[in-house]
């Protein structure tokens, strides 16, 4: 599958071999840690840890650079807008009309930018190292109803097919003189209608055939379901689960027991 | 594990509509006169909800936009997008089924738009801070308005050009 539709990188690392449920646990608790702390040092440490984990999973530096490039505009916007619109207490360094720039506002901006970057890289640990099929299997084993899991799996499978439909129809319309980048925004947006109508109808025909195929395979009949490649917890899965739980417990105790990490600095 | 009765056609329509929402969110970038881009993911959510009701609309909206976030490198937004667009699809589908005609269409479109704008403002406050969330507000309003501008006529045109849509994905209520 093209990387435009799939974030997963197939490698043979310890993170790739971990059960998807453990990675959900790891990413969930690391994400929560990023949300309960505002301390710049803690968020920076979380960001560095996420990079180290990705490196240990043989994720190429180029892929991490790609993620930084994607995050760049968002981080820039946070660094500029957060201090301007939410300056916080303290004397103004610069005053521009009703806008004030303060040290606490700037630190808040850095803290939120670090949080955004840390959460993006923490989430990348799950999606870069987990095959979508195994991830769906993990979710089903955690209690997601099987039809929902199958829907997610089918949706992922049909991303390139649906995009292919859209591209074919767009190219056919372009050959007939379809132009999108002229006029105001409303006109440009409405220019997509003929393409979208044809794409949606083609996709609906596809879903009709897919529904028939699923029915022919017996979907909907009550039966004990088996899996060709099942997932199982190993000793290392239990070990990582316990370690992550302990670390998160310590992070919560330090944050709420000692009151550390509520401020950016 | 045993399965409850599942309607294969509803499941297939939900999966394919999720893929449509994904393509409209991730791949369709409409150039704006200010040299930026907007996506048409909301048009897909509005269409799914009008055509197939709250459950397919909600699932397709949440799943399609969530997958788009994951593959574009903004995975931290995926849970929020799933909830916000899932709720948008559900409310738009439910409202348009309860109140038919122009009144229902208008009411559901406005409610769907408010959910998206308020939802991303709230999510932005958590992930990026109140300043950045407020800064994104105008763009989110433009984005969801463009989605409605395309989603409503898209539904009308597809229903006219492809009558079997009425039978597709008909679900138990």
């Amino acid at each position: 599958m093209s990387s435009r539709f799939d974030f997963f990188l197939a490698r043979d690392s310890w993170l790739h071999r971990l059960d998807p449920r453990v990675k959900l646990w790891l990413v969930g608790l690391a994400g929560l840690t990023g949300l309960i702390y505002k301390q710049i040092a803690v968020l920076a440490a979380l960001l560095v840890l996420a990079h180290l984990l990705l490196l240990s999973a043989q994720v190429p530096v180029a892929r991490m650079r790609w993620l930084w490039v994607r995050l760049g505009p968002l981080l820039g916007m946070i660094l500029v807008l957060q201090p301007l619109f939410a300056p916080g207490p303290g004397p103004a360094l610069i005053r521009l009309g009703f806008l004030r720039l303060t040290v606490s506002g700037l630190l808040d901006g850095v803290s939120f930018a670090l949080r955004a970057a840390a959460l993006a890289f923490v989430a990348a640990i799950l999606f870069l190292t987990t095959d979508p099929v195994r991830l769906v299997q993990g979710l089903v084993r955690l209690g997601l109803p099987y039809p929902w899991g199958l829907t997610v799996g089918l949706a992922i499978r049909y991303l390139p097919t649906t995009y292919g439909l859209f591209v074919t129809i767009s190219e056919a319309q372009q050959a007939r003189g379809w132009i999108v980048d002229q006029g105001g925004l409303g006109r440009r947006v409405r220019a997509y209608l003929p393409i979208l109508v044809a794409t949606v109808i083609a996709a609906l025909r596809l879903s009709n055939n897919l529904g028939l195929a699923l029915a022919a395979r017996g979907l909907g009949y009550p039966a004990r379901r088996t899996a060709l490649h099942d997932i199982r917890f190993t000793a290392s899965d239990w070990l990582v689960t316990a370690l992550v739980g302990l670390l998160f417990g310590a992070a919560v105790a330090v944050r709420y027991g000692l009151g550390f990490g509520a401020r950016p600095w | 594990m045993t399965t409850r009765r599942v309607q294969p056609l509803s499941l297939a329509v939900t999966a394919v509509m999720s893929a449509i929402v994904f393509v409209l969110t991730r791949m369709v970038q409409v150039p704006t006169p200010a040299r930026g881009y907007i996506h048409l993911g909301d048009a897909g959510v509005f269409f799914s909800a009008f055509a197939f009701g709250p459950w397919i609309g909600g699932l397709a909206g949440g799943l399609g936009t969530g997958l788009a976030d994951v593959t574009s490198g903004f995975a931290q937004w995926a849970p929020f997008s799933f909830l916000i667009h899932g709720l948008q699809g559900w409310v738009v589908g439910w409202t348009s089924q309860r109140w038919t005609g122009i009144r229902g269409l208008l009411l559901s479109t406005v409610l769907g738009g408010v959910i998206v704008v308020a939802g991303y403002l709230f999510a932005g406050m958590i992930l990026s801070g109140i300043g950045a969330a407020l800064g994104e507000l105008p763009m989110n309003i433009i984005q969801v308005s463009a989605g409605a501008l395309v989603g409503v006529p898209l539904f009308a045109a597809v229903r006219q050009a492809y009558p079997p849509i009425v039978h597709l994905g008909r679900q138990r209520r």
Side-chain angles (χ1 to χ4, degrees):
Chain A
M1 201 188 286
S2 157
S3 63
R4 299 177 79 177
F5 305 104
D6 191 6
F7 208 53
F8 171 61
L9 283 175
R11 297 283 188 278
D12 186 25
S13 75
W14 70 278
L15 262 173
H16 284 78
R17 284 189 295 272
L18 271 186
D19 189 288
R21 290 166 286 182
V22 181
K23 282 187 265 188
L24 280 165
W25 171 252
L26 164 73
V27 167
L29 294 191
L32 275 178
T33 306
L35 288 175
I36 62 174
Y37 276 92
K38 280 188 88 175
Q39 244 277 349
I40 288 173
V42 175
L43 294 169
L46 189 63
L47 183 60
V48 170
L49 184 66
H51 278 73
L52 292 176
L53 285 174
L54 288 171
L55 282 173
S56 76
Q58 300 164 20
V59 172
V61 175
R63 196 61 196 252
M64 289 190 251
R65 200 181 305 128
W66 173 85
L67 193 51
W68 272 112
V69 170
R70 298 282 306 175
L71 287 171
L74 174 72
L75 300 182
M77 200 176 71
I78 295 172
L79 285 170
V80 172
L81 295 179
Q82 180 63 24
L84 284 179
F85 286 110
L93 296 172
I94 303 169
R95 200 180 281 274
L96 285 166
F98 69 95
L99 297 173
R100 279 186 326 124
L101 201 62
T102 64
V103 173
S104 63
L106 283 170
L107 290 175
D108 252 358
V110 173
S111 166
F112 273 112
L114 274 173
R115 174 187 281 179
L119 291 181
F121 277 91
V122 162
I125 294 171
L126 175 68
F127 295 107
L128 279 169
T129 66
T130 315
D131 185 334
V133 176
R134 274 173 58 86
L135 183 58
V136 171
Q137 256 182 330
L139 290 171
V140 170
R141 292 291 290 271
L142 283 172
L144 183 78
Y146 174 74
W148 289 44
L150 182 62
T151 306
V152 177
L154 284 171
I156 293 171
R157 161 66 189 82
Y158 275 88
L159 299 180
T161 312
T162 314
Y163 180 57
L165 283 175
F166 174 78
V167 169
T168 307
I169 292 163
S170 303
E171 285 172 357
Q173 295 275 14
Q174 277 167 10
R176 298 181 65 196
W178 176 68
I179 298 168
V180 70
D181 52 354
Q182 278 180 6
L185 183 61
R187 190 173 166 173
R188 289 171 190 227
V189 163
R190 278 197 304 270
Y192 270 91
L193 255 181
I195 288 170
L196 295 185
V197 171
T199 307
V200 166
I201 290 174
L204 290 176
R205 286 189 175 134
L206 190 73
S207 66
N208 206 8
N209 292 338
L210 176 62
L212 288 174
L214 290 173
R217 293 282 294 169
L219 182 79
Y221 286 91
R224 187 175 167 77
R225 191 160 291 283
T226 56
L228 184 60
H229 302 289
D230 210 355
I231 50 172
R232 274 189 190 84
F233 249 61
T234 60
S236 54
D237 291 319
W238 284 113
L239 185 70
V240 174
T241 304
L243 192 65
V244 169
L246 278 174
L247 285 173
F248 181 69
V252 171
V254 170
R255 171 68 186 81
Y256 295 106
L258 303 177
F260 174 80
R263 292 164 185 270
W265 200 252
Chain B
M1 193 197 314
T2 56
T3 55
R4 285 167 54 201
R5 280 187 66 198
V6 181
Q7 293 180 320
L9 195 55
S10 294
L11 197 148
V13 169
T14 309
V16 173
M17 286 318 300
S18 303
I20 285 278
V21 172
F22 169 88
V23 169
L24 294 183
T25 309
R26 176 96 165 84
M27 307 296 177
V28 179
Q29 294 185 319
V30 184
T32 65
R35 297 189 178 196
Y37 286 97
I38 58 164
H39 68 72
L40 293 178
D42 289 294
V45 184
F46 279 121
F47 171 82
S48 307
F50 289 142
F52 305 114
W55 295 108
I56 292 181
L59 271 174
L63 203 51
T65 51
L67 286 172
D69 281 339
V70 167
T71 56
S72 55
F74 297 100
Q76 75 274 28
W77 282 93
F80 293 101
S81 291
F82 181 84
L83 291 175
I84 293 166
H85 289 286
L87 186 63
Q88 175 198 14
W90 196 91
V91 168
V92 170
W94 187 82
T95 320
S96 62
Q97 276 185 348
R98 198 169 170 84
W99 290 280
T100 51
I102 291 290
R103 195 177 62 151
L105 212 60
L106 268 176
L107 180 68
S108 54
T109 307
V110 170
L111 278 177
V114 169
I115 287 167
V116 172
V117 173
Y120 275 109
L121 182 66
F122 176 71
M125 281 162 61
I126 295 171
L127 292 178
S128 317
I130 180 77
L134 283 173
E136 280 182 345
L137 192 65
M139 203 58 211
N140 285 339
I141 293 172
I142 294 171
Q143 187 90 55
V144 79
S145 306
L149 200 68
V150 173
V152 175
L154 177 65
F155 169 60
V158 171
R159 196 170 53 171
Q160 198 171 23
Y162 189 67
I165 194 175
V166 179
H167 307 290
L168 264 178
R170 186 174 281 168
Q171 55 199 309
R172 286 172 292 162
R173 290 186 207 153

